[in-house]
PDB file of all heavy atoms in Angstrom:
ATOM      1  N   LEU A   1     115.981 236.170 211.891  1.00  0.00           N
ATOM      2  CA  LEU A   1     115.706 236.264 210.452  1.00  0.00           C
ATOM      3  C   LEU A   1     115.513 234.949 209.789  1.00  0.00           C
ATOM      4  O   LEU A   1     114.610 234.772 208.924  1.00  0.00           O
ATOM      5  CB  LEU A   1     116.892 236.996 209.773  1.00  0.00           C
ATOM      6  CG  LEU A   1     116.679 237.443 208.330  1.00  0.00           C
ATOM      7  CD1 LEU A   1     115.674 238.575 208.283  1.00  0.00           C
ATOM      8  CD2 LEU A   1     118.035 237.869 207.722  1.00  0.00           C
ATOM      9  N   LEU A   2     116.233 233.910 210.242  1.00  0.00           N
ATOM     10  CA  LEU A   2     116.173 232.597 209.620  1.00  0.00           C
ATOM     11  C   LEU A   2     115.087 231.661 210.259  1.00  0.00           C
ATOM     12  O   LEU A   2     114.647 230.731 209.565  1.00  0.00           O
ATOM     13  CB  LEU A   2     117.544 231.907 209.754  1.00  0.00           C
ATOM     14  CG  LEU A   2     118.707 232.571 208.924  1.00  0.00           C
ATOM     15  CD1 LEU A   2     119.954 231.814 209.185  1.00  0.00           C
ATOM     16  CD2 LEU A   2     118.378 232.577 207.492  1.00  0.00           C
ATOM     17  N   PHE A   3     114.777 231.856 211.526  1.00  0.00           N
ATOM     18  CA  PHE A   3     113.943 230.919 212.220  1.00  0.00           C
ATOM     19  C   PHE A   3     112.641 231.439 212.711  1.00  0.00           C
ATOM     20  O   PHE A   3     111.914 230.735 213.428  1.00  0.00           O
ATOM     21  CB  PHE A   3     114.776 230.279 213.385  1.00  0.00           C
ATOM     22  CG  PHE A   3     115.979 229.504 212.923  1.00  0.00           C
ATOM     23  CD1 PHE A   3     117.214 230.106 213.082  1.00  0.00           C
ATOM     24  CD2 PHE A   3     115.842 228.273 212.362  1.00  0.00           C
ATOM     25  CE1 PHE A   3     118.379 229.426 212.688  1.00  0.00           C
ATOM     26  CE2 PHE A   3     116.962 227.584 211.983  1.00  0.00           C
ATOM     27  CZ  PHE A   3     118.240 228.125 212.091  1.00  0.00           C
ATOM     28  N   THR A   4     112.286 232.667 212.380  1.00  0.00           N
ATOM     29  CA  THR A   4     110.972 233.214 212.816  1.00  0.00           C
ATOM     30  C   THR A   4     109.882 232.372 212.189  1.00  0.00           C
ATOM     31  O   THR A   4     108.835 232.148 212.801  1.00  0.00           O
ATOM     32  CB  THR A   4     110.846 234.654 212.388  1.00  0.00           C
ATOM     33  OG1 THR A   4     111.807 235.440 213.114  1.00  0.00           O
ATOM     34  CG2 THR A   4     109.433 235.190 212.693  1.00  0.00           C
ATOM     35  N   THR A   5     110.045 231.903 210.933  1.00  0.00           N
ATOM     36  CA  THR A   5     109.091 231.055 210.292  1.00  0.00           C
ATOM     37  C   THR A   5     109.814 229.779 209.783  1.00  0.00           C
ATOM     38  O   THR A   5     111.015 229.807 209.592  1.00  0.00           O
ATOM     39  CB  THR A   5     108.438 231.746 209.070  1.00  0.00           C
ATOM     40  OG1 THR A   5     107.512 230.871 208.440  1.00  0.00           O
ATOM     41  CG2 THR A   5     109.435 232.193 208.077  1.00  0.00           C
ATOM     42  N   SER A   6     109.104 228.704 209.621  1.00  0.00           N
ATOM     43  CA  SER A   6     109.697 227.437 209.183  1.00  0.00           C
ATOM     44  C   SER A   6     109.399 227.149 207.736  1.00  0.00           C
ATOM     45  O   SER A   6     109.331 225.983 207.328  1.00  0.00           O
ATOM     46  CB  SER A   6     109.152 226.289 210.062  1.00  0.00           C
ATOM     47  OG  SER A   6     107.726 226.263 210.039  1.00  0.00           O
ATOM     48  N   HIS A   7     109.173 228.159 206.937  1.00  0.00           N
ATOM     49  CA  HIS A   7     108.863 227.997 205.532  1.00  0.00           C
ATOM     50  C   HIS A   7     110.077 227.325 204.819  1.00  0.00           C
ATOM     51  O   HIS A   7     111.218 227.634 205.065  1.00  0.00           O
ATOM     52  CB  HIS A   7     108.544 229.312 204.853  1.00  0.00           C
ATOM     53  CG  HIS A   7     107.752 229.197 203.618  1.00  0.00           C
ATOM     54  ND1 HIS A   7     108.219 228.706 202.422  1.00  0.00           N
ATOM     55  CD2 HIS A   7     106.445 229.445 203.371  1.00  0.00           C
ATOM     56  CE1 HIS A   7     107.281 228.678 201.487  1.00  0.00           C
ATOM     57  NE2 HIS A   7     106.230 229.140 202.060  1.00  0.00           N
ATOM     58  N   LYS A   8     109.794 226.374 203.965  1.00  0.00           N
ATOM     59  CA  LYS A   8     110.857 225.631 203.287  1.00  0.00           C
ATOM     60  C   LYS A   8     111.611 226.482 202.227  1.00  0.00           C
ATOM     61  O   LYS A   8     112.774 226.268 201.973  1.00  0.00           O
ATOM     62  CB  LYS A   8     110.258 224.360 202.569  1.00  0.00           C
ATOM     63  CG  LYS A   8     109.743 223.343 203.585  1.00  0.00           C
ATOM     64  CD  LYS A   8     109.259 222.101 202.865  1.00  0.00           C
ATOM     65  CE  LYS A   8     108.728 221.089 203.872  1.00  0.00           C
ATOM     66  NZ  LYS A   8     108.223 219.823 203.176  1.00  0.00           N
ATOM     67  N   ASN A   9     110.935 227.402 201.656  1.00  0.00           N
ATOM     68  CA  ASN A   9     111.570 228.309 200.668  1.00  0.00           C
ATOM     69  C   ASN A   9     112.433 229.334 201.411  1.00  0.00           C
ATOM     70  O   ASN A   9     111.958 230.137 202.182  1.00  0.00           O
ATOM     71  CB  ASN A   9     110.528 229.037 199.856  1.00  0.00           C
ATOM     72  CG  ASN A   9     111.103 229.841 198.720  1.00  0.00           C
ATOM     73  OD1 ASN A   9     112.155 230.418 198.811  1.00  0.00           O
ATOM     74  ND2 ASN A   9     110.406 229.841 197.587  1.00  0.00           N
ATOM     75  N   PRO A  10     113.793 229.280 201.224  1.00  0.00           N
ATOM     76  CA  PRO A  10     114.640 230.195 202.005  1.00  0.00           C
ATOM     77  C   PRO A  10     114.383 231.698 201.726  1.00  0.00           C
ATOM     78  O   PRO A  10     114.556 232.510 202.647  1.00  0.00           O
ATOM     79  CB  PRO A  10     116.064 229.794 201.556  1.00  0.00           C
ATOM     80  CG  PRO A  10     115.870 229.081 200.210  1.00  0.00           C
ATOM     81  CD  PRO A  10     114.541 228.440 200.293  1.00  0.00           C
ATOM     82  N   VAL A  11     113.996 232.015 200.507  1.00  0.00           N
ATOM     83  CA  VAL A  11     113.718 233.435 200.217  1.00  0.00           C
ATOM     84  C   VAL A  11     112.513 233.925 200.987  1.00  0.00           C
ATOM     85  O   VAL A  11     112.516 234.980 201.553  1.00  0.00           O
ATOM     86  CB  VAL A  11     113.506 233.579 198.708  1.00  0.00           C
ATOM     87  CG1 VAL A  11     113.179 235.009 198.366  1.00  0.00           C
ATOM     88  CG2 VAL A  11     114.770 233.164 197.935  1.00  0.00           C
ATOM     89  N   LYS A  12     111.438 233.086 200.978  1.00  0.00           N
ATOM     90  CA  LYS A  12     110.260 233.456 201.720  1.00  0.00           C
ATOM     91  C   LYS A  12     110.502 233.481 203.218  1.00  0.00           C
ATOM     92  O   LYS A  12     110.045 234.325 203.945  1.00  0.00           O
ATOM     93  CB  LYS A  12     109.089 232.498 201.409  1.00  0.00           C
ATOM     94  CG  LYS A  12     108.541 232.645 200.014  1.00  0.00           C
ATOM     95  CD  LYS A  12     107.355 231.768 199.827  1.00  0.00           C
ATOM     96  CE  LYS A  12     106.723 231.964 198.420  1.00  0.00           C
ATOM     97  NZ  LYS A  12     105.551 231.120 198.218  1.00  0.00           N
ATOM     98  N   ARG A  13     111.388 232.509 203.704  1.00  0.00           N
ATOM     99  CA  ARG A  13     111.676 232.494 205.105  1.00  0.00           C
ATOM    100  C   ARG A  13     112.379 233.754 205.525  1.00  0.00           C
ATOM    101  O   ARG A  13     112.031 234.390 206.562  1.00  0.00           O
ATOM    102  CB  ARG A  13     112.618 231.277 205.370  1.00  0.00           C
ATOM    103  CG  ARG A  13     113.138 231.250 206.811  1.00  0.00           C
ATOM    104  CD  ARG A  13     114.030 230.073 207.061  1.00  0.00           C
ATOM    105  NE  ARG A  13     113.335 228.798 207.050  1.00  0.00           N
ATOM    106  CZ  ARG A  13     113.861 227.684 207.502  1.00  0.00           C
ATOM    107  NH1 ARG A  13     115.162 227.683 207.944  1.00  0.00           N
ATOM    108  NH2 ARG A  13     113.193 226.562 207.494  1.00  0.00           N
ATOM    109  N   ILE A  14     113.372 234.220 204.747  1.00  0.00           N
ATOM    110  CA  ILE A  14     114.098 235.418 205.127  1.00  0.00           C
ATOM    111  C   ILE A  14     113.199 236.630 205.013  1.00  0.00           C
ATOM    112  O   ILE A  14     113.218 237.541 205.833  1.00  0.00           O
ATOM    113  CB  ILE A  14     115.365 235.580 204.214  1.00  0.00           C
ATOM    114  CG1 ILE A  14     116.343 234.463 204.566  1.00  0.00           C
ATOM    115  CG2 ILE A  14     116.027 236.909 204.462  1.00  0.00           C
ATOM    116  CD1 ILE A  14     117.590 234.432 203.637  1.00  0.00           C
ATOM    117  N   GLY A  15     112.429 236.661 203.930  1.00  0.00           N
ATOM    118  CA  GLY A  15     111.465 237.805 203.734  1.00  0.00           C
ATOM    119  C   GLY A  15     110.488 237.974 204.880  1.00  0.00           C
ATOM    120  O   GLY A  15     110.281 239.065 205.418  1.00  0.00           O
ATOM    121  N   VAL A  16     109.836 236.826 205.246  1.00  0.00           N
ATOM    122  CA  VAL A  16     108.898 236.870 206.365  1.00  0.00           C
ATOM    123  C   VAL A  16     109.580 237.189 207.699  1.00  0.00           C
ATOM    124  O   VAL A  16     109.079 237.980 208.486  1.00  0.00           O
ATOM    125  CB  VAL A  16     108.148 235.490 206.493  1.00  0.00           C
ATOM    126  CG1 VAL A  16     107.310 235.460 207.733  1.00  0.00           C
ATOM    127  CG2 VAL A  16     107.279 235.272 205.273  1.00  0.00           C
ATOM    128  N   GLY A  17     110.808 236.637 207.852  1.00  0.00           N
ATOM    129  CA  GLY A  17     111.552 236.929 209.077  1.00  0.00           C
ATOM    130  C   GLY A  17     111.901 238.397 209.176  1.00  0.00           C
ATOM    131  O   GLY A  17     111.805 239.016 210.252  1.00  0.00           O
ATOM    132  N   PHE A  18     112.336 239.013 208.089  1.00  0.00           N
ATOM    133  CA  PHE A  18     112.639 240.401 208.090  1.00  0.00           C
ATOM    134  C   PHE A  18     111.437 241.324 208.339  1.00  0.00           C
ATOM    135  O   PHE A  18     111.479 242.218 209.159  1.00  0.00           O
ATOM    136  CB  PHE A  18     113.349 240.784 206.782  1.00  0.00           C
ATOM    137  CG  PHE A  18     113.738 242.265 206.684  1.00  0.00           C
ATOM    138  CD1 PHE A  18     114.861 242.709 207.361  1.00  0.00           C
ATOM    139  CD2 PHE A  18     112.954 243.136 205.991  1.00  0.00           C
ATOM    140  CE1 PHE A  18     115.254 244.035 207.287  1.00  0.00           C
ATOM    141  CE2 PHE A  18     113.311 244.511 205.954  1.00  0.00           C
ATOM    142  CZ  PHE A  18     114.486 244.909 206.590  1.00  0.00           C
ATOM    143  N   ALA A  19     110.351 240.994 207.661  1.00  0.00           N
ATOM    144  CA  ALA A  19     109.145 241.807 207.755  1.00  0.00           C
ATOM    145  C   ALA A  19     108.533 241.733 209.177  1.00  0.00           C
ATOM    146  O   ALA A  19     108.076 242.759 209.689  1.00  0.00           O
ATOM    147  CB  ALA A  19     108.112 241.402 206.738  1.00  0.00           C
ATOM    148  N   SER A  20     108.583 240.545 209.780  1.00  0.00           N
ATOM    149  CA  SER A  20     107.973 240.359 211.103  1.00  0.00           C
ATOM    150  C   SER A  20     108.849 240.828 212.249  1.00  0.00           C
ATOM    151  O   SER A  20     108.358 240.915 213.352  1.00  0.00           O
ATOM    152  CB  SER A  20     107.538 238.943 211.258  1.00  0.00           C
ATOM    153  OG  SER A  20     108.690 238.094 211.231  1.00  0.00           O
ATOM    154  N   SER A  21     110.100 241.073 211.970  1.00  0.00           N
ATOM    155  CA  SER A  21     111.017 241.435 213.097  1.00  0.00           C
ATOM    156  C   SER A  21     111.477 242.879 213.002  1.00  0.00           C
ATOM    157  O   SER A  21     112.161 243.347 213.941  1.00  0.00           O
ATOM    158  CB  SER A  21     112.276 240.538 213.023  1.00  0.00           C
ATOM    159  OG  SER A  21     112.960 240.625 211.789  1.00  0.00           O
ATOM    160  N   LEU A  22     111.093 243.612 211.962  1.00  0.00           N
ATOM    161  CA  LEU A  22     111.594 245.002 211.824  1.00  0.00           C
ATOM    162  C   LEU A  22     111.080 245.852 212.981  1.00  0.00           C
ATOM    163  O   LEU A  22     111.842 246.538 213.675  1.00  0.00           O
ATOM    164  CB  LEU A  22     111.142 245.566 210.494  1.00  0.00           C
ATOM    165  CG  LEU A  22     111.672 246.982 210.111  1.00  0.00           C
ATOM    166  CD1 LEU A  22     113.223 246.922 210.103  1.00  0.00           C
ATOM    167  CD2 LEU A  22     111.135 247.407 208.800  1.00  0.00           C
ATOM    168  N   LEU A  23     109.758 245.915 213.192  1.00  0.00           N
ATOM    169  CA  LEU A  23     109.181 246.701 214.315  1.00  0.00           C
ATOM    170  C   LEU A  23     109.565 246.188 215.674  1.00  0.00           C
ATOM    171  O   LEU A  23     109.909 246.974 216.560  1.00  0.00           O
ATOM    172  CB  LEU A  23     107.659 246.766 214.136  1.00  0.00           C
ATOM    173  CG  LEU A  23     107.136 247.609 212.993  1.00  0.00           C
ATOM    174  CD1 LEU A  23     105.616 247.578 212.912  1.00  0.00           C
ATOM    175  CD2 LEU A  23     107.656 249.038 213.102  1.00  0.00           C
ATOM    176  N   PRO A  24     109.586 244.838 215.916  1.00  0.00           N
ATOM    177  CA  PRO A  24     110.053 244.349 217.226  1.00  0.00           C
ATOM    178  C   PRO A  24     111.503 244.753 217.487  1.00  0.00           C
ATOM    179  O   PRO A  24     111.851 244.994 218.669  1.00  0.00           O
ATOM    180  CB  PRO A  24     109.902 242.862 217.096  1.00  0.00           C
ATOM    181  CG  PRO A  24     108.798 242.644 216.155  1.00  0.00           C
ATOM    182  CD  PRO A  24     108.930 243.756 215.141  1.00  0.00           C
TER     183      PRO A  24
END
C-alpha cells in the first residue's frame, strides 16, 4: 500500500497503492 508508487504526496501514494493492489 505504501511502496507500490513513489509519489511524494502520502495521500496519493496510499490511494494509488490501494487501487492498484485490490485486484492483485
Side-chain angles (χ1 to χ4, degrees):
L1 190 68
L2 294 177
F3 297 104
T4 295
T5 179
S6 56
H7 204 286
K8 293 182 179 180
N9 188 322
V11 177
K12 289 185 177 180
R13 173 183 290 193
I14 293 175
V16 172
F18 179 78
S20 60
S21 59
L22 186 59
L23 289 178

